[in-house]
Each structure stands twice: as structure tokens, then as C-alpha cells.
Coordinates of all heavy atoms in Angstrom, one line a residue:
M36 N 103.2 105.8 88.5 CA 104.0 104.6 88.6 C 104.9 104.5 87.3 O 106.1 104.0 87.5 CB 103.2 103.4 88.8 CG 102.5 103.4 90.1 SD 101.4 101.9 90.3 CE 102.6 100.7 90.6
A37 N 104.4 104.8 86.2 CA 105.2 104.7 84.9 C 106.4 105.6 85.0 O 107.4 105.3 84.4 CB 104.3 105.1 83.7
L38 N 106.4 106.7 85.7 CA 107.5 107.6 85.8 C 108.3 107.3 87.1 O 109.2 108.1 87.4 CB 107.0 109.0 85.8 CG 106.2 109.4 84.6 CD1 105.6 110.8 84.7 CD2 107.1 109.4 83.4
G39 N 108.1 106.2 87.7 CA 108.8 105.9 88.9 C 108.5 106.7 90.2 O 109.3 107.0 91.0
T40 N 107.2 107.0 90.2 CA 106.7 107.8 91.4 C 105.9 106.9 92.3 O 104.9 106.2 91.9 CB 105.7 108.9 90.9 OG1 106.4 109.7 90.0 CG2 105.3 109.8 92.1
P41 N 106.4 106.8 93.6 CA 105.6 105.9 94.5 C 104.2 106.6 94.8 O 104.1 107.8 94.8 CB 106.5 105.9 95.8 CG 107.4 107.0 95.6 CD 107.5 107.4 94.2
V42 N 103.3 105.7 95.0 CA 101.9 106.2 95.2 C 101.5 105.9 96.7 O 101.8 104.9 97.3 CB 100.9 105.4 94.3 CG1 99.5 105.8 94.6 CG2 101.3 105.6 92.9
V43 N 100.8 106.9 97.3 CA 100.3 106.8 98.6 C 98.8 107.0 98.4 O 98.4 108.1 97.9 CB 100.9 107.9 99.6 CG1 100.2 107.7 101.0 CG2 102.4 107.7 99.7
S44 N 98.0 106.0 98.8 CA 96.6 106.1 98.5 C 95.8 105.4 99.6 O 96.3 104.6 100.4 CB 96.3 105.4 97.2 OG 94.9 105.3 96.9
T45 N 94.5 105.6 99.6 CA 93.6 104.7 100.4 C 93.5 103.4 99.7 O 93.7 103.3 98.5 CB 92.2 105.4 100.5 OG1 91.6 105.6 99.2 CG2 92.3 106.7 101.2
P46 N 93.2 102.3 100.4 CA 93.1 101.0 99.8 C 91.8 100.7 99.1 O 91.0 99.9 99.5 CB 93.3 100.1 101.1 CG 92.8 100.9 102.2 CD 93.1 102.3 101.9
S47 N 91.6 101.5 98.1 CA 90.4 101.3 97.2 C 90.6 100.1 96.3 O 91.7 99.6 96.2 CB 90.0 102.5 96.5 OG 91.1 102.9 95.6
D48 N 89.6 99.6 95.7 CA 89.6 98.4 94.9 C 90.8 98.3 93.9 O 91.6 97.4 94.0 CB 88.3 98.2 94.1 CG 87.2 97.8 95.0 OD1 87.4 97.3 96.1 OD2 86.0 98.0 94.6
G49 N 90.9 99.3 93.0 CA 92.0 99.2 92.0 C 93.4 99.4 92.6 O 94.3 98.8 92.2
M50 N 93.5 100.3 93.6 CA 94.8 100.5 94.2 C 95.3 99.3 94.9 O 96.5 99.1 95.0 CB 94.7 101.7 95.1 CG 94.3 103.0 94.4 SD 95.2 103.4 92.9 CE 96.7 104.0 93.7
K51 N 94.4 98.5 95.5 CA 94.9 97.3 96.2 C 95.6 96.3 95.3 O 96.4 95.6 95.7 CB 93.7 96.7 96.9 CG 93.2 97.5 98.1 CD 92.3 96.7 99.0 CE 90.9 96.5 98.3 NZ 89.9 96.0 99.2
D52 N 95.2 96.4 94.0 CA 95.8 95.5 93.0 C 97.1 96.1 92.5 O 98.0 95.3 92.0 CB 94.9 95.4 91.8 CG 93.6 94.6 92.1 OD1 93.6 93.8 93.1 OD2 92.5 94.9 91.5
L53 N 97.3 97.4 92.6 CA 98.5 98.0 92.0 C 99.6 98.2 93.0 O 100.8 98.1 92.7 CB 98.1 99.4 91.4 CG 97.2 99.4 90.2 CD1 96.8 100.8 89.8 CD2 97.9 98.7 89.0
I54 N 99.2 98.6 94.3 CA 100.2 99.0 95.3 C 100.5 97.8 96.2 O 99.6 97.3 96.8 CB 99.7 100.2 96.1 CG1 99.3 101.3 95.2 CG2 100.7 100.6 97.1 CD1 100.4 101.8 94.3
D55 N 101.8 97.5 96.3 CA 102.2 96.5 97.3 C 102.7 97.4 98.5 O 103.8 98.0 98.4 CB 103.3 95.7 96.7 CG 102.9 94.9 95.5 OD1 101.8 94.3 95.6 OD2 103.6 94.9 94.5
D56 N 101.9 97.4 99.5 CA 102.2 98.3 100.7 C 103.6 98.2 101.2 O 104.1 97.1 101.6 CB 101.2 98.0 101.8 CG 101.2 99.1 102.8 OD1 101.2 100.3 102.5 OD2 101.2 98.8 104.0
G57 N 104.3 99.3 101.2 CA 105.7 99.4 101.7 C 106.7 98.9 100.6 O 107.9 99.1 100.9
I58 N 106.3 98.5 99.5 CA 107.2 98.0 98.4 C 107.3 99.0 97.3 O 108.4 99.5 96.9 CB 106.8 96.7 97.8 CG1 106.6 95.6 98.9 CG2 107.7 96.2 96.7 CD1 107.8 95.2 99.6
N59 N 106.1 99.4 96.8 CA 106.1 100.4 95.7 C 105.3 101.6 96.0 O 105.0 102.4 95.1 CB 105.7 99.8 94.3 CG 104.3 99.2 94.4 OD1 103.6 99.3 95.4 ND2 103.9 98.5 93.4
G60 N 104.8 101.7 97.2 CA 104.0 102.8 97.7 C 103.4 102.4 99.0 O 103.8 101.5 99.7
Y61 N 102.3 103.1 99.4 CA 101.6 102.8 100.6 C 100.1 102.9 100.5 O 99.6 103.7 99.7 CB 102.1 103.8 101.7 CG 103.5 103.7 102.1 CD1 104.5 104.6 101.7 CD2 103.9 102.6 103.0 CE1 105.8 104.4 102.1 CE2 105.2 102.5 103.3 CZ 106.1 103.4 102.9 OH 107.5 103.2 103.3
L62 N 99.4 102.1 101.2 CA 98.0 102.1 101.3 C 97.6 102.3 102.8 O 98.1 101.6 103.7 CB 97.4 100.8 100.8 CG 97.6 100.4 99.4 CD1 97.2 99.0 99.1 CD2 96.9 101.4 98.5
T63 N 96.7 103.3 103.0 CA 96.2 103.5 104.4 C 94.9 104.3 104.4 O 94.7 105.1 103.5 CB 97.3 104.2 105.2 OG1 96.8 104.4 106.6 CG2 97.6 105.6 104.7
D64 N 94.1 104.0 105.4 CA 92.9 104.8 105.6 C 93.0 105.9 106.6 O 92.2 106.7 106.8 CB 91.7 103.8 106.0 CG 91.1 103.0 104.9 OD1 91.0 103.6 103.8 OD2 90.7 101.9 105.2
D65 N 94.2 105.8 107.3 CA 94.4 106.7 108.4 C 95.2 108.0 107.9 O 96.3 107.9 107.3 CB 95.3 106.0 109.4 CG 95.5 106.8 110.7 OD1 96.0 107.9 110.6 OD2 95.2 106.3 111.8
D66 N 94.5 109.2 108.1 CA 95.1 110.4 107.6 C 96.5 110.7 108.2 O 97.4 111.2 107.5 CB 94.2 111.6 107.9 CG 92.9 111.6 107.1 OD1 92.9 110.8 106.0 OD2 92.0 112.3 107.4
A67 N 96.7 110.4 109.5 CA 98.0 110.7 110.1 C 99.0 109.8 109.5 O 100.2 110.2 109.3 CB 97.8 110.4 111.6
V68 N 98.7 108.5 109.3 CA 99.7 107.6 108.7 C 100.0 108.0 107.3 O 101.2 108.0 106.8 CB 99.1 106.1 108.7 CG1 100.0 105.2 107.9 CG2 99.0 105.6 110.2
M69 N 99.0 108.5 106.5 CA 99.2 108.9 105.2 C 100.2 110.1 105.2 O 101.1 110.1 104.4 CB 97.9 109.3 104.5 CG 98.1 109.7 103.0 SD 96.5 109.9 102.1 CE 95.9 108.3 102.0
A70 N 100.0 111.0 106.0 CA 100.9 112.2 106.1 C 102.3 111.7 106.5 O 103.3 112.2 105.9 CB 100.3 113.2 107.2
E71 N 102.4 110.8 107.4 CA 103.7 110.3 107.8 C 104.4 109.6 106.6 O 105.6 109.9 106.4 CB 103.5 109.2 108.9 CG 104.7 108.5 109.4 CD 104.4 107.4 110.4 OE1 103.6 107.6 111.3 OE2 104.9 106.3 110.2
K72 N 103.7 108.8 105.9 CA 104.3 108.1 104.7 C 104.7 109.1 103.7 O 105.8 109.0 103.0 CB 103.4 107.1 104.2 CG 103.0 106.0 105.1 CD 104.2 105.3 105.7 CE 103.8 104.1 106.6 NZ 104.9 103.5 107.2
L73 N 103.9 110.1 103.4 CA 104.2 111.2 102.4 C 105.5 111.9 102.8 O 106.4 112.2 102.0 CB 103.0 112.1 102.2 CG 101.9 111.6 101.5 CD1 100.6 112.5 101.6 CD2 102.2 111.4 100.0
L74 N 105.6 112.3 104.1 CA 106.7 113.0 104.6 C 108.0 112.1 104.5 O 109.1 112.6 104.1 CB 106.5 113.5 106.0 CG 105.6 114.6 106.2 CD1 105.3 114.9 107.7 CD2 106.2 115.9 105.6
K75 N 107.9 110.9 104.8 CA 109.0 110.0 104.7 C 109.5 109.9 103.2 O 110.7 110.0 102.9 CB 108.7 108.6 105.2 CG 109.8 107.6 105.1 CD 109.5 106.3 105.8 CE 110.6 105.3 105.7 NZ 111.8 105.5 106.4
I76 N 108.6 109.8 102.3 CA 108.9 109.8 100.9 C 109.6 111.1 100.4 O 110.6 111.1 99.7 CB 107.7 109.5 100.0 CG1 107.3 108.0 100.2 CG2 108.0 109.7 98.5 CD1 105.9 107.7 99.6
M77 N 109.0 112.2 100.9 CA 109.6 113.5 100.5 C 110.9 113.8 101.1 O 111.8 114.4 100.5 CB 108.6 114.6 100.8 CG 107.4 114.6 100.0 SD 106.3 116.1 100.2 CE 105.6 115.6 101.8
N78 N 111.2 113.3 102.3 CA 112.4 113.7 103.0 C 113.5 112.6 102.9 O 114.6 112.9 103.3 CB 112.0 113.9 104.5 CG 111.2 115.1 104.7 OD1 111.3 116.1 104.0 ND2 110.2 115.1 105.6
D79 N 113.2 111.4 102.5 CA 114.2 110.4 102.4 C 114.4 110.0 100.9 O 113.7 109.2 100.4 CB 113.8 109.2 103.2 CG 114.8 108.1 103.4 OD1 115.8 108.0 102.5 OD2 114.7 107.3 104.3
A80 N 115.4 110.6 100.3 CA 115.7 110.3 98.9 C 115.9 108.8 98.6 O 115.4 108.3 97.5 CB 116.8 111.2 98.4
D81 N 116.7 108.2 99.4 CA 116.9 106.7 99.2 C 115.6 105.9 99.2 O 115.4 105.1 98.4 CB 117.9 106.2 100.2 CG 119.3 106.7 100.0 OD1 119.7 107.2 98.9 OD2 120.1 106.7 101.0
H82 N 114.8 106.2 100.2 CA 113.5 105.5 100.3 C 112.6 105.8 99.1 O 112.0 104.9 98.5 CB 112.9 105.9 101.6 CG 111.6 105.2 101.9 ND1 111.5 103.8 102.1 CD2 110.3 105.6 102.0 CE1 110.3 103.5 102.3 NE2 109.5 104.5 102.3
R83 N 112.6 107.1 98.8 CA 111.8 107.5 97.6 C 112.2 106.8 96.3 O 111.4 106.3 95.6 CB 111.9 109.0 97.5 CG 111.1 109.6 96.3 CD 111.1 111.1 96.2 NE 112.5 111.7 96.2 CZ 113.1 112.4 97.2 NH1 112.4 112.6 98.3 NH2 114.3 112.8 97.0
N84 N 113.5 106.8 96.1 CA 114.1 106.1 94.9 C 113.8 104.6 94.9 O 113.5 104.1 93.9 CB 115.6 106.4 94.8 CG 115.8 107.8 94.5 OD1 115.0 108.6 93.9 ND2 117.0 108.3 94.9
A85 N 113.9 104.0 96.1 CA 113.6 102.5 96.1 C 112.2 102.2 95.8 O 111.9 101.3 95.0 CB 114.0 102.0 97.5
L86 N 111.3 103.0 96.5 CA 109.8 102.8 96.2 C 109.5 103.1 94.7 O 108.7 102.4 94.1 CB 109.0 103.7 97.1 CG 108.9 103.4 98.6 CD1 108.1 104.5 99.3 CD2 108.3 102.0 98.8
G87 N 110.1 104.2 94.2 CA 109.9 104.6 92.8 C 110.3 103.6 91.8 O 109.7 103.3 90.8
Q88 N 111.5 103.0 92.1 CA 112.0 101.9 91.2 C 111.0 100.7 91.2 O 110.7 100.2 90.1 CB 113.4 101.5 91.6 CG 113.9 100.4 90.6 CD 114.1 100.9 89.2 OE1 114.7 101.9 88.9 NE2 113.5 100.2 88.3
Q89 N 110.5 100.4 92.4 CA 109.6 99.3 92.4 C 108.2 99.6 91.8 O 107.6 98.8 91.2 CB 109.4 98.8 93.9 CG 110.6 98.1 94.5 CD 111.0 96.9 93.7 OE1 110.1 96.1 93.3 NE2 112.2 96.7 93.5
A90 N 107.8 100.9 91.9 CA 106.6 101.4 91.3 C 106.7 101.2 89.7 O 105.8 100.8 89.1 CB 106.3 102.8 91.7
Q91 N 107.9 101.6 89.2 CA 108.1 101.6 87.8 C 108.2 100.1 87.3 O 107.6 99.7 86.3 CB 109.4 102.3 87.4 CG 109.5 102.5 85.9 CD 110.6 103.5 85.6 OE1 111.7 103.5 86.2 NE2 110.3 104.4 84.7
N92 N 108.8 99.2 88.1 CA 108.8 97.8 87.8 C 107.4 97.2 87.7 O 107.1 96.4 86.8 CB 109.6 97.0 88.8 CG 111.1 97.4 88.8 OD1 111.6 97.9 87.8 ND2 111.8 97.0 89.8
K93 N 106.6 97.6 88.7 CA 105.2 97.1 88.7 C 104.4 97.6 87.5 O 103.7 96.8 86.9 CB 104.5 97.6 90.0 CG 103.1 97.1 90.2 CD 103.0 95.7 90.5 CE 101.5 95.3 90.9 NZ 101.5 94.2 91.8
F94 N 104.6 98.8 87.2 CA 104.0 99.4 86.0 C 104.4 98.6 84.7 O 103.6 98.2 83.9 CB 104.3 100.9 85.8 CG 103.8 101.4 84.5 CD1 102.5 101.9 84.4 CD2 104.5 101.5 83.3 CE1 101.9 102.4 83.3 CE2 104.0 102.0 82.2 CZ 102.7 102.4 82.1
N95 N 105.7 98.4 84.6 CA 106.2 97.6 83.4 C 105.7 96.2 83.4 O 105.4 95.7 82.3 CB 107.7 97.7 83.4 CG 108.3 99.0 83.1 OD1 107.6 99.9 82.5 ND2 109.5 99.3 83.6
Q96 N 105.5 95.6 84.6 CA 105.0 94.2 84.7 C 103.6 94.1 84.2 O 103.2 93.2 83.5 CB 105.2 93.8 86.1 CG 104.6 92.4 86.4 CD 104.5 92.1 87.9 OE1 104.8 92.9 88.7 NE2 104.1 90.9 88.2
I97 N 102.8 95.1 84.6 CA 101.3 95.0 84.3 C 101.0 95.7 82.9 O 99.9 95.5 82.4 CB 100.4 95.5 85.4 CG1 100.7 97.0 85.6 CG2 100.6 94.7 86.6 CD1 99.8 97.7 86.7
N98 N 101.9 96.4 82.4 CA 101.6 97.1 81.1 C 102.6 96.6 80.0 O 103.2 97.4 79.3 CB 101.8 98.6 81.3 CG 100.6 99.1 82.0 OD1 99.5 99.1 81.6 ND2 100.9 99.6 83.2
D99 N 102.7 95.3 79.9 CA 103.6 94.7 78.9 C 102.8 94.7 77.5 O 101.9 93.9 77.3 CB 103.9 93.3 79.4 CG 104.8 92.5 78.4 OD1 105.0 92.9 77.3 OD2 105.4 91.5 78.9
A100 N 103.2 95.6 76.7 CA 102.5 95.8 75.4 C 102.5 94.5 74.5 O 101.4 94.1 74.0 CB 103.1 97.0 74.6
P101 N 103.6 93.8 74.3 CA 103.6 92.6 73.5 C 102.6 91.5 74.1 O 101.9 90.9 73.4 CB 105.0 92.1 73.5 CG 105.8 93.3 73.7 CD 105.0 94.2 74.7
K102 N 102.6 91.4 75.5 CA 101.8 90.5 76.1 C 100.3 90.9 75.9 O 99.4 90.0 75.7 CB 102.1 90.4 77.6 CG 101.3 89.4 78.4 CD 101.8 89.4 79.9 CE 101.0 88.5 80.7 NZ 101.5 88.5 82.1
Y103 N 100.0 92.1 76.0 CA 98.7 92.6 75.8 C 98.2 92.4 74.4 O 97.1 91.9 74.2 CB 98.6 94.1 76.1 CG 97.3 94.8 75.9 CD1 96.2 94.6 76.7 CD2 97.1 95.6 74.8 CE1 95.0 95.1 76.5 CE2 95.8 96.2 74.5 CZ 94.8 95.9 75.4 OH 93.6 96.5 75.2
K104 N 99.1 92.7 73.4 CA 98.7 92.4 72.0 C 98.4 90.9 71.8 O 97.5 90.6 71.1 CB 99.8 92.9 71.1 CG 100.0 94.4 71.0 CD 101.1 94.7 70.1 CE 101.4 96.2 70.1 NZ 102.6 96.5 69.3
Q105 N 99.2 90.1 72.4 CA 99.0 88.6 72.2 C 97.7 88.2 72.8 O 97.0 87.4 72.2 CB 100.2 87.9 72.8 CG 100.1 86.4 72.5 CD 100.2 86.0 71.0 OE1 101.1 86.5 70.3 NE2 99.3 85.2 70.6
A106 N 97.4 88.8 74.0 CA 96.1 88.4 74.6 C 94.9 88.8 73.8 O 93.9 88.1 73.6 CB 96.0 89.1 76.0
I107 N 95.0 90.0 73.2 CA 93.9 90.5 72.3 C 93.8 89.6 71.0 O 92.7 89.1 70.6 CB 94.1 91.9 71.9 CG1 94.0 92.8 73.1 CG2 93.1 92.4 70.8 CD1 92.7 92.9 73.8
F108 N 95.0 89.2 70.5 CA 95.0 88.4 69.3 C 94.4 87.0 69.6 O 93.6 86.5 68.8 CB 96.5 88.2 68.8 CG 96.6 87.3 67.6 CD1 96.3 87.8 66.4 CD2 97.1 86.0 67.8 CE1 96.4 87.0 65.3 CE2 97.2 85.2 66.7 CZ 96.9 85.7 65.4
D109 N 94.8 86.5 70.8 CA 94.3 85.2 71.2 C 92.7 85.2 71.4 O 92.0 84.2 71.0 CB 94.9 84.7 72.5 CG 96.4 84.3 72.3 OD1 96.8 84.2 71.1 OD2 97.1 84.2 73.3
C110 N 92.2 86.3 71.9 CA 90.7 86.4 72.1 C 90.0 86.4 70.8 O 89.0 85.7 70.6 CB 90.4 87.7 72.8 SG 90.8 87.7 74.5
Y111 N 90.5 87.0 69.8 CA 89.8 87.1 68.5 C 90.1 85.9 67.6 O 89.4 85.5 66.7 CB 90.2 88.4 67.7 CG 89.6 89.6 68.3 CD1 90.2 90.5 69.1 CD2 88.2 89.8 68.0 CE1 89.6 91.6 69.6 CE2 87.6 90.9 68.6 CZ 88.3 91.8 69.4 OH 87.6 92.9 69.9
R112 N 91.2 85.2 67.9 CA 91.5 84.0 67.2 C 90.7 82.8 67.6 O 90.5 81.9 66.8 CB 93.0 83.7 67.4 CG 93.6 82.7 66.4 CD 95.0 82.7 66.4 NE 95.5 81.6 67.2 CZ 96.7 81.4 67.5 NH1 97.7 82.2 67.1 NH2 97.1 80.4 68.2
S113 N 90.2 82.8 68.8 CA 89.5 81.6 69.4 C 88.2 81.5 68.7 O 87.4 82.2 68.4 CB 89.3 81.8 70.9 OG 90.5 82.0 71.5

């Protein structure tokens, strides 16, 4: 996600928090659907780029270094 790569995964606990299905990647338990989504990403550059940009945006949103540093500082300051 940090490199703008859309993720296709099963909807496991952590992935459900990271992936917005159809926005920055795909979540599915169905092997046929997973293959279909992977092929769509590989064969459609515009779709791949749109998902990838959203994946990178999500990464940047949840990995905000200044916000993280402030949260750690606040924990120790309390």
C-alpha cells in the first residue's frame, strides 16, 4: 500500500481494517472472485492506478508519523 499497490486479500481481521473493498483493493473469500479481481487489476491500467492511489492515500492516512509521535508523547506525558 505504501508503494501504491492495491491489495487483494481474504477478509481477515487486520485486512478488514486496511482495505476498503473496491476503493483501494478487494476483499473476498471466493477464489474465483479473487482471480477475477486480480486479472482486472493486472489488465486495466486505469483501474490499477486508481486503486493504487487510494491504497497509498490510506497508507499515508494511517501512518502519519507526526501524529504517531504526538500520540506516544501524550501517553508518556499523562
Side-chain angles (χ1 to χ4, degrees):
M36 290 179 77
L38 299 174
T40 303
V42 176
V43 179
S44 175
T45 58
S47 59
D48 291 337
M50 298 310 284
K51 291 190 288 188
D52 295 329
L53 295 173
I54 305 304
D55 301 313
D56 193 45
I58 306 296
N59 59 7
Y61 292 104
L62 296 171
T63 183
D64 281 326
D65 186 303
D66 291 342
V68 172
M69 186 173 287
E71 174 188 315
K72 299 303 183 185
L73 286 166
L74 286 171
K75 182 172 175 69
I76 290 169
M77 288 188 285
N78 293 324
D79 185 340
D81 291 337
H82 184 65
R83 180 176 56 249
N84 291 335
L86 289 175
Q88 182 60 54
Q89 290 302 316
Q91 195 167 43
N92 291 346
K93 179 75 169 204
F94 175 85
N95 291 337
Q96 175 189 4
I97 61 176
N98 289 295
D99 183 341
K102 184 177 175 181
Y103 177 74
K104 288 178 189 177
Q105 186 62 48
I107 296 295
F108 180 76
D109 292 345
C110 284
Y111 285 102
R112 194 165 98 183
S113 309

